[in-house]
Amino acid sequence: MTAESWRKKIISNMKKAGTYAVTYDAAVATLADLLEQRDAVYQQYVDGGCEALVEKISDRGARNYSKNPLLTVWMDLNRDALAYWRDLGLTPAGLKKLNDEALKKPGKTSSLEQALANLASA
């Protein structure tokens, strides 16, 4: 997906979560770029045969295996994107930090709250 497509999707999700503000546009653009790069790296990994380990031959001719660098970059991009998602309120923890009331459903109580209320009235 392109950065522009990601940007639209991120903004749409933020609006649904009630966390969108124009002041976040720079962070949204950065996250969209990260996700575009992540998608490109993953496509390279898939095109390369999805090899988790790659063989490297040392200067002495020894064969060594190491983690595919594409996987390492992909995981780093995922980690970085998760930090942005959290900061933009697109994870439960991030949403709670931005807007604690967004997680509460008016008129609904949890089973625990109902049980405690029943105990208190008994």
Side-chain angles (χ1 to χ4, degrees), residues 31-92:
L31 175 57
D33 289 339
L34 275 171
L35 293 171
E36 181 182 38
Q37 290 172 12
R38 183 197 67 168
D39 291 348
V41 167
Y42 184 72
Q43 190 59 50
Q44 284 180 335
Y45 174 69
V46 169
D47 292 345
C50 296
E51 297 291 330
L53 298 175
V54 293
E55 181 180 16
K56 296 190 178 198
I57 300 178
S58 71
D59 55 348
R60 295 180 181 236
R63 292 180 181 208
N64 299 311
Y65 291 92
S66 63
K67 185 189 283 186
N68 190 329
L70 291 172
L71 273 181
T72 304
V73 171
W74 183 73
M75 288 189 301
D76 289 346
L77 289 169
N78 269 332
R79 184 196 64 233
D80 294 346
L82 179 60
Y84 277 92
W85 282 325
R86 196 177 306 118
D87 290 345
L88 294 172
L90 295 174
T91 65

